[in-house]
């Protein structure tokens, strides 16, 4: 982001006030003012000592700081002044602040080494420390916040592409913060040295949202994803895709609850078709019913047995309200009857049953859901 080291030569003597600052604690950042209890000799000595340091750092500008900023930054600062920023984002602010021998500088200083303009508090040794504002013309970047020994610790950073509010460490977003992109995407949560890391919420410009755990800028761990078309997922993520246990719900009410692997149904799960009032409970491989499973029909009939490629294949039983038929199935067709068990001790029961059926399938679409990096389900019949 920005290197805050500065070395320069000076110009005419500015108006300054000097004095030592008390050590204090606070729940939210508030503007600080020096209290002057130094005698005139000490004040004069520190003043010229400081000016000697400033003369090696930069040029003093005889102009208002805000007039040096681009119009869009000026407009933003008028709409969102720092006092309001302090109140609105008080939960982001530092819990304690120690200021030692700061000098509140009344005019902006242009730092020669990196072409930055700074207005704010310094130590008498010429190190940026305390509350201040900084503008970097080369990148149209505006910074306002709290510095400690030349490094920004907390503040807001505005440039052509984004606005960040939060904690900083080693010139990188670190800790709790809020990041808004000009194009509309936003993130609020925790960062680790410039990357989304920890709990947070990401809102896409089209209205889709993810809230949950991040790791190294990716959705990783427990989270919830909502699409604007009504699809909803809650469960485990791995590197931005569904992986582990989760629930996927469509806008028509269909639900899958079970295991995922790299974005597909994989392992044990239950799929429920709301409109047809039917469900499948069993094993999946790559979102296809494969292995052992049970299918329950709306009329109460049940098939329990082996599946392959979304159809009954292998040994299985078909149970009606009156009888249980055991046999061999192939690609959904009943090919060999092994046994019939009546549920009643006596009496003949005549049934006309079509054993050849195509179970409802999940109609896997090869296209991607927006913002998810895997092939995933779009519509369910």
């Amino acid at each position: 982001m920005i290197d805050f080291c500065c070395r320069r030569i000076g110009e005419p003597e500015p108006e300054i006030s000097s004095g030592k600052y008390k050590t204090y604690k606070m729940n939210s950042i508030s503007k600080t003012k020096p209290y002057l209890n130094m005698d005139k000799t000490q004040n004069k000595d520190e003043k010229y000592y400081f000016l000697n340091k400033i003369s090696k750092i930069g040029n003093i500008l005889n102009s208002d700081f805000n007039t040096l900023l681009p119009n869009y930054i000026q407009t933003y600062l008028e709409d969102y002044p720092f006092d309001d920023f302090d109140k609105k984002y008080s939960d982001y602010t530092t819990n304690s602040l120690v200021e030692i021998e700061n000098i509140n500088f009344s005019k902006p200083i242009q730092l020669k080494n990196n072409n930055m303009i700074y207005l704010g508090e310094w130590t008498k040794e010429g190190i940026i420390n305390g509350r201040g504002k900084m503008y970097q013309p080369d990148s149209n970047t505006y910074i306002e916040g709290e510095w400690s020994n030349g490094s920004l610790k907390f503040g807001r950073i505005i440039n052509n592409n984004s606005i960040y509010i939060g904690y900083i460490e080693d010139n990188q977003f670190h800790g709790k913060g809020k990041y808004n992109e000009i194009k509309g995407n936003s993130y609020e949560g925790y960062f680790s040295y410039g990357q989304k890391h920890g709990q947070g919420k990401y809102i896409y410009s089209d209205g889709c949202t993810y809230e949950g755990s991040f790791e190294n800028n990716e959705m990783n761990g427990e989270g919830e994803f909502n699409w604007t078309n009504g699809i909803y997922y809650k469960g485990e993520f791995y590197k931005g895709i569904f992986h582990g246990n989760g629930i996927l719900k469509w806008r028509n009410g269909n639900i899958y609850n079970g295991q995922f692997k790299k974005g597909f149904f994989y392992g044990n799960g239950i799929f429920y078709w709301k409109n047809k009032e039917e469900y499948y409970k069993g094993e999946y491989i790559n979102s296809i019913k494969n292995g052992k499973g049970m299918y329950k029909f709306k009329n109460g009939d049940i098939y329990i047995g082996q599946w392959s490629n979304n159809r009954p294949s292998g040994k299985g039983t078909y149970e009606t309200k009156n009888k249980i038929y055991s046999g061999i199935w192939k690609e959904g067709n009943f090919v060999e009857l092994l046994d019939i068990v009546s549920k009643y001790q006596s009496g003949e029961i005549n049934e006309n049953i079509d054993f050849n059926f195509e179970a409802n399938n999940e109609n896997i679409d090869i296209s991607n859901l927006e913002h998810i990096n895997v092939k995933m389900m779009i519509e369910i019949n």
Side-chain angles (χ1 to χ4, degrees):
M1 290 168 51
I2 293 178
D3 181 3
F4 299 103
C5 298
C6 25
R7 296 286 183 274
R8 238 113 167 147
I9 52 180
E11 282 196 6
E13 177 180 311
E15 297 177 6
I16 61 173
S17 61
S18 62
K20 294 189 176 182
Y21 280 70
K22 291 181 178 180
T23 299
Y24 61 94
K25 293 185 178 292
M26 58 186 179
N27 293 324
S28 62
I29 297 176
S30 58
K31 291 186 176 180
T32 55
K33 297 183 181 296
Y35 70 99
L36 305 179
N37 61 352
M38 304 165 61
D39 60 50
K40 294 182 179 180
T41 303
Q42 186 180 11
N43 187 18
K44 182 177 179 180
D45 289 343
E46 288 205 353
K47 177 179 177 179
Y48 285 105
Y49 180 84
F50 176 67
L51 286 174
N52 182 53
K53 291 290 183 181
I54 291 298
S55 69
K56 299 178 182 179
I57 293 172
N59 294 327
I60 298 167
L61 303 177
N62 294 306
S63 58
D64 180 68
F65 182 85
N66 286 344
T67 62
L68 305 171
L69 305 175
N71 290 333
Y72 77 92
I73 293 181
Q74 291 185 41
T75 302
Y76 178 84
L77 296 178
E78 289 173 2
D79 293 339
Y80 303 98
F82 206 81
D83 287 344
D84 292 342
F85 156 73
D86 286 344
K87 296 172 184 176
K88 186 174 181 181
Y89 298 102
S90 60
D91 57 332
Y92 292 98
T93 58
T94 52
N95 294 319
S96 64
L97 180 66
V98 177
E99 299 190 5
I100 303 173
E101 297 178 336
N102 281 21
I103 298 178
N104 192 2
F105 206 65
S106 61
K107 293 185 178 181
I109 299 173
Q110 186 166 16
L111 312 175
K112 289 185 177 179
N113 275 359
N114 40 27
N115 196 30
M116 293 179 185
I117 299 168
Y118 175 76
L119 175 66
E121 296 176 315
W122 303 71
T123 66
K124 67 177 182 179
E125 290 78 17
I127 299 173
I128 296 174
N129 198 73
R131 170 64 62 85
K133 306 174 183 179
M134 182 178 283
Y135 175 59
Q136 185 177 19
D138 292 345
S139 60
N140 279 339
T141 300
Y142 171 84
I143 303 157
E144 186 170 22
E146 297 284 342
W147 274 263
S148 176
N149 293 322
S151 296
L152 184 66
K153 294 298 182 183
F154 171 84
R156 58 180 175 180
I157 301 170
I158 306 168
N159 58 35
N160 294 327
N161 301 315
S162 63
I163 300 169
Y164 174 77
I165 300 169
Y167 286 101
I168 310 290
E169 187 70 32
D170 292 338
N171 298 329
Q172 299 178 80
F173 305 156
H174 188 75
K176 193 174 184 180
K178 185 173 184 178
Y179 182 82
N180 293 316
E181 298 176 5
I182 299 303
K183 63 183 181 181
N185 298 333
S186 68
Y187 171 79
E188 184 169 7
Y190 287 87
F191 292 84
S192 178
Y193 296 104
Q195 293 189 319
K196 295 182 287 291
H197 195 91
Q199 293 297 306
K201 183 175 183 178
Y202 196 95
I203 302 175
Y204 294 86
S205 59
D206 62 4
C208 295
T209 63
Y210 169 80
E211 186 168 6
S213 177
F214 287 83
E215 187 174 336
N216 299 326
N217 265 345
E218 294 181 309
M219 295 174 279
N220 210 79
E222 294 282 345
E224 299 181 21
F225 204 108
N226 283 276
W227 286 265
T228 54
N229 63 5
I231 300 176
Y232 164 83
Y233 173 81
K234 181 179 181 180
E236 295 177 286
F237 288 78
Y238 178 70
K239 293 187 175 180
I241 60 178
F242 307 157
H243 192 88
N245 294 310
I247 299 174
L248 186 60
K249 184 176 182 179
W250 285 259
R251 60 177 173 267
N252 61 8
N254 293 342
I255 298 173
Y256 172 78
N257 185 346
Q259 296 174 311
F260 291 82
K261 182 178 179 181
K262 296 182 179 179
F264 294 96
F265 305 161
Y266 206 106
N268 291 306
I270 301 175
F271 198 104
Y272 174 69
W273 290 264
K274 182 178 181 181
N275 293 336
K276 299 181 179 181
E277 298 180 16
E278 298 180 350
Y279 71 87
Y280 168 81
K281 180 180 181 181
E283 296 176 298
Y284 283 91
I285 296 177
N286 293 333
S287 297
I288 297 173
K289 292 186 281 293
N290 269 292
K292 188 174 182 180
M294 178 186 75
Y295 194 100
K296 185 173 182 179
F297 294 85
K298 184 176 181 179
N299 64 3
D301 290 357
I302 298 173
Y303 170 80
I304 301 174
Q306 295 296 315
W307 293 76
S308 177
N309 198 29
N310 274 333
R311 296 186 179 104
S313 291
K315 189 175 181 180
T317 61
Y318 191 98
E319 180 179 343
T320 70
K321 63 180 179 179
N322 297 315
K323 291 182 181 182
I324 299 174
Y325 298 84
S326 177
I328 303 298
W329 302 69
K330 183 177 181 180
E331 296 182 353
N333 299 317
F334 191 60
V335 295
E336 182 181 352
L337 177 64
L338 299 178
D339 193 16
I340 301 176
V341 178
S342 175
K343 294 184 179 180
Y344 295 88
Q345 296 295 325
S346 62
E348 291 296 327
I349 299 174
N350 296 319
E351 294 180 298
N352 294 318
I353 298 174
D354 181 6
F355 293 103
N356 304 325
F357 70 92
E358 181 85 19
N360 289 325
N361 69 56
E362 289 70 9
N363 190 21
I364 305 305
D365 194 309
I366 63 171
S367 59
N368 294 347
L369 280 179
E370 192 70 20
H371 312 307
I372 296 294
N373 302 324
V374 295
K375 296 177 181 178
M376 190 32 75
M377 294 58 70
I378 300 295
E379 293 293 343
I380 302 298
N381 291 334

